[in-house]
Amino acid sequence: PSPSPHTPSSSHASGSIPESSHQGDKPQDVDAAMARAQETLSQLESSLDAIPRLHSANISSSELPMPPMRRKSPWTRALAIARNVALIGGGGVALIASHAFGLAVQLLSAVAGAMVVAYLGHRRGSLSASGAVVAFMVGVGTLCCSLRFAATLLAFFFASSKLTHFKEEVKAKLDDSAKSGGQRDWKQVLCNGLVPTCVAVAYGLVAGCVDVPLGPSAQLEVWRAKVLTLLGGAYLGWYACCCGDTWASEVGPLSPATPRLITTMRPVRRGTNGGVTMLGLAASVAGGTFTGLVFYLAGLVSPTLWIFEAQRATAAAQWQLIPLGMLAGVVGSLVDSLLGATVQFSGFNHETNRVTSKPGPNVTRITGMPMLDNNLVNVVSAAITAALTACAAFWLFGV
């Protein structure tokens, strides 16, 4: 009997493709797809090989069009230099005049001058709002007590602030604690300025807010001369240390040489606390010398030192203040580095790829113990340097 039309006896009868045929075609389809992919890759490789033969690939970097660079003309640079010289000269004349017309004018000028300095520091980004407030108080306490002390403070502040902006984008990549523009808050200003302001106020009370030479003087009692010599030496040592350390910290990380840890002389990463370079050491020498030079020259132009001819001659002969400031800058910077390598933590943050002063889960320790932060290290090193400089001045000027 013939098969029923509703019951196919074979796949051909129903018009369908046999299952075995499907299974046999699948490997063929995969092989065909792989062959097409291989052909496409070969074409892409040929295209890539042709790229170096393009005209644009044969153009050297010197032939590439460069965006126009805006260079300042010599006249613009000359005007900028002349403006800065005029500002410094005008400020110096105003400072001298403020100490030439009595204590009342001296105090009012101190308030006005401190307000200007705090405002400029905040406007230019060197001081935060809280830092500007503390800077105002530091300025008033210093400017009204001694022209020599005031000139030293202002020279340190403006010179160090200017140096902080030098290649700040490079230095910001080295340390987690770096701030744009080197902005200082109230803690930093207080740590750097509280002790020397107290020294300046004490000097003003003992000297009557006038400048006197270091060492014995016919116009002063022996005890008063001794106290003023110690206070003057301490003030010089404090800011010579701060200036030398600041200049070394701002310039040293830019050295092409690898920093070496001051305690072991082994190479360390740039920005590590306690790392020293020859460039940083030279910067500390320059900072200390600069402070000593300002301290010495300010004594020569102080109106209160011109009251007596003997005082003016004595002040002019005390050129040893310049090398004393240089030594204080170097010693202070080295003491700061020694403290930074031992009692201040330094580690490498693997998330930011920068050196940090704070321990953490992703931080590998480089050196130091987390006992003091950077502010306290600055205070301790400056205090040690100030004490040493005061003793050196006491011995040097024969009190």
Side-chain angles (χ1 to χ4, degrees):
S2 62
S4 170
H6 300 287
T7 307
S9 60
S10 66
S11 60
H12 294 282
S14 62
S16 63
I17 299 175
E19 184 178 356
S20 60
S21 176
H22 277 291
Q23 294 175 350
D25 289 344
K26 287 182 178 179
Q28 295 177 1
D29 294 341
V30 172
D31 292 341
M34 292 294 294
R36 288 194 296 271
Q38 185 67 33
E39 182 181 359
T40 302
L41 290 174
S42 299
Q43 292 176 356
L44 290 174
E45 290 176 355
S46 301
S47 300
L48 292 174
D49 291 338
I51 287 179
R53 293 191 293 272
L54 296 176
H55 174 69
S56 60
N58 297 325
I59 299 178
S60 63
S61 59
S62 60
E63 297 174 342
L64 292 175
M66 299 296 292
M69 296 181 63
R70 297 181 60 185
R71 292 188 177 184
K72 294 182 179 180
S73 65
W75 287 108
T76 303
R77 291 195 296 267
L79 287 176
I81 295 174
R83 182 189 61 184
N84 292 333
V85 171
L87 289 175
I88 294 174
V93 171
L95 182 62
I96 295 172
S98 67
H99 285 254
F101 297 101
L103 187 58
V105 175
Q106 195 166 316
L107 179 58
L108 292 176
S109 301
V111 174
M115 290 180 62
V116 171
V117 171
Y119 170 75
L120 291 177
H122 180 58
R123 182 181 178 182
R124 296 179 179 179
S126 299
L127 296 171
S128 65
S130 62
V133 174
V134 177
F136 168 75
M137 294 185 290
V138 169
V140 172
T142 304
L143 294 177
C144 69
C145 294
S146 165
L147 183 144
R148 174 178 265 178
F149 287 14
T152 303
L153 169 64
L154 295 176
F156 162 71
F157 174 72
F158 285 112
S160 298
S161 297
K162 193 72 174 178
L163 195 60
T164 300
H165 291 278
F166 180 67
K167 293 188 176 181
E168 60 180 334
E169 68 282 353
V170 177
K171 293 178 284 189
K173 299 178 182 179
L174 303 176
D175 192 348
D176 272 348
S177 62
K179 299 180 181 179
S180 178
Q183 192 178 73
R184 291 167 172 82
D185 57 18
W186 70 271
K187 292 182 180 179
Q188 293 171 302
V189 177
L190 195 65
C191 288
N192 282 328
L194 177 61
V195 173
T197 302
C198 293
V199 172
V201 172
Y203 185 95
L205 293 174
V206 176
C209 292
V210 299
D211 288 304
V212 296
L214 277 67
S217 174
Q219 289 76 32
L220 297 175
E221 301 93 327
V222 176
W223 71 268
R224 197 183 300 272
K226 290 182 178 180
V227 172
L228 293 177
T229 299
L230 289 173
L231 292 174
Y235 194 89
L236 170 61
W238 183 281
Y239 276 115
C241 171
C242 291
C243 195
D245 177 60
T246 300
W247 288 25
S249 299
E250 298 298 339
V251 177
L254 303 176
S255 172
T258 302
R260 293 186 176 273
L261 195 64
I262 191 172
T263 53
T264 62
M265 287 294 115
R266 64 181 177 88
V268 291
R269 292 181 179 271
R270 287 179 173 84
T272 301
N273 296 313
V276 295
T277 61
M278 292 303 297
L279 181 61
L281 185 61
S284 66
V285 172
T289 305
F290 171 75
T291 306
L293 182 63
V294 171
F295 192 84
Y296 170 72
L297 293 178
L300 298 183
V301 299
S302 177
T304 57
L305 272 174
W306 287 69
I307 298 175
F308 301 101
E309 179 66 24
Q311 286 189 341
R312 182 168 62 90
T314 302
Q318 293 181 345
W319 56 267
Q320 299 93 333
L321 291 169
I322 301 175
L324 182 60
M326 180 196 68
L327 290 175
V330 175
V331 171
S333 180
L334 293 177
V335 171
D336 187 278
S337 297
L338 183 61
L339 293 174
T342 54
V343 296
Q344 184 180 4
F345 178 84
S346 290
F348 183 74
N349 191 325
H350 295 278
E351 290 185 351
T352 62
N353 290 324
R354 293 188 295 182
V355 175
T356 180
S357 297
K358 298 179 180 179
N362 297 314
V363 175
T364 301
R365 177 181 175 273
I366 299 176
T367 185
M369 301 298 294
M371 298 175 63
L372 300 178
D373 63 6
N374 189 64
N375 292 328
L376 292 179
V377 167
N378 291 339
V379 171
V380 174
S381 60
I384 293 174
T385 307
L388 294 175
T389 309
C391 295
F394 194 84
W395 170 79
L396 188 62
F397 297 108
V399 179

